């Protein structure tokens, strides 16, 4: 009996392409390979910037898999989808490079559970257990309310700097897929909800004792999708 592979969605292709690009580069970087050190330096200069305005990044990484005709029977990406996919991958790669700078362990951590490996969960780890640090929370809110991708990249850069300081890893394949989704019609609301679920789910797990009894939080939950000071 044979089984037919389910074609990957564009979202999945962006995630897998980003993961496949970072993993060997991260491995070689931790092994102090010169080519990886040089690539990281070039990528890092693009963090938080409009990738179309950073020509040094063009051709630095192989995004050919996004252009190739899928071998699983799926359809090729349209021109508009390719633009969004390329921008998402490049943005995620440059943010990872910033995150990885001077770290002795890999800051890209792939996972199959978007709630526990997402941006919201990473931001929650910046806060003490049982507490909500509102200035940090507002950084996540401001990222979700960015007017365009360059502004979103800049606001994510500020968050990544905090994560680097605390050695908190992130799934950059998932982030790239969400950046791709964020550019689609209605995608911003979907991504904001995903970040909010990730934040609150990690907080719930963090505030649960070993006996499974929830521990009361020291501060109330706040809406991550809207904030009067978000702009």
């Amino acid at each position: 009996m044979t089984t037919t592979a389910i074609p990957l969605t564009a979202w999945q292709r962006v995630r897998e392409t980003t993961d496949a690009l970072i993993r060997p580069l991260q491995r070689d970087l931790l092994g102090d390979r010169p080519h990886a050190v040089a690539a990281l330096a070039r990528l890092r200069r693009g963090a938080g910037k409009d990738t179309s305005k950073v020509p040094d990044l063009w051709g630095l990484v192989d995004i050919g898999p996004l252009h190739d005709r899928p071998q699983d029977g799926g359809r090729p990406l349209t021109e508009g989808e390719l633009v969004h996919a390329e921008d998402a991958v490049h943005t995620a790669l440059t943010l990872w490079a910033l995150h990885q700078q001077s770290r002795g362990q890999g800051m890209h951590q792939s996972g199959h559970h978007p709630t526990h490996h997402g941006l919201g969960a990473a931001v929650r780890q910046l806060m003490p257990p049982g507490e909500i640090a509102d200035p940090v929370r507002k950084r996540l809110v401001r990222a979700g309310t960015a007017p365009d991708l360059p502004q979103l990249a800049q606001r994510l850069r500020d968050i990544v700097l905090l994560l680097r300081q605390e050695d908190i890893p992130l799934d950059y394949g998932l982030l790239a897929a969400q950046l791709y989704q964020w550019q689609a019609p209605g995608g911003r609301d979907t991504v904001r909800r995903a970040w909010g679920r990730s934040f609150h789910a990690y907080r719930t797990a963090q505030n649960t004792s070993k006996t499974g009894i929830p521990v009361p939080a020291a501060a109330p939950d706040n809406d991550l999708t809207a904030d009067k000071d978000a702009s």
Side-chain angles (χ1 to χ4, degrees), residues 85-140:
E86 290 171 356
D87 287 347
V89 172
H90 276 116
T91 299
L93 283 169
T94 57
L95 289 171
W96 164 76
L98 178 67
H99 197 166
Q100 189 61 52
Q101 182 186 14
S102 302
R103 300 298 93 185
Q105 58 183 338
M107 291 293 103
H108 166 56
Q109 185 179 85
S110 5
H112 299 289
H113 199 306
T115 299
H116 293 158
H117 292 271
L119 181 67
V123 169
R124 184 64 188 88
Q125 292 175 68
L126 291 167
M127 305 178 189
E131 299 179 20
I132 293 291
D134 211 44
V136 177
R137 181 194 68 87
K138 285 183 177 180
R139 288 183 182 273
L140 181 59

Side-chain angles (χ1 to χ4, degrees), residues 20-125:
L21 287 169
I22 292 180
R23 277 190 293 105
L25 191 55
Q26 181 169 267
R27 179 198 62 224
D28 289 350
L29 182 71
L30 295 176
D32 203 26
R33 301 285 182 84
H35 77 91
V37 174
L40 188 83
R42 290 174 62 187
L43 285 168
R44 191 171 63 245
R45 288 194 288 270
K49 299 178 181 178
D50 184 342
T51 54
S52 67
K53 298 179 180 179
V54 188
D56 191 44
L57 299 182
W58 301 348
L60 179 58
V61 292
D62 180 15
I63 56 173
L66 295 174
H67 294 256
D68 295 341
R69 179 173 291 276
Q71 300 298 310
D72 56 11
R75 65 168 180 80
L77 299 182
T78 66
E79 183 62 31
E81 289 171 337
L82 277 172
V83 171
H84 290 169
E86 290 171 356
D87 287 347
V89 172
H90 276 116
T91 299
L93 283 169
T94 57
L95 289 171
W96 164 76
L98 178 67
H99 197 166
Q100 189 61 52
Q101 182 186 14
S102 302
R103 300 298 93 185
Q105 58 183 338
M107 291 293 103
H108 166 56
Q109 185 179 85
S110 5
H112 299 289
H113 199 306
T115 299
H116 293 158
H117 292 271
L119 181 67
V123 169
R124 184 64 188 88
Q125 292 175 68

Side-chain angles (χ1 to χ4, degrees), residues 202-222:
Y202 191 90
R203 182 187 179 202
T204 298
Q206 194 178 48
N207 292 337
T208 300
S209 70
K210 292 181 180 180
T211 60
I213 301 174
V215 177
D221 283 336
N222 293 286

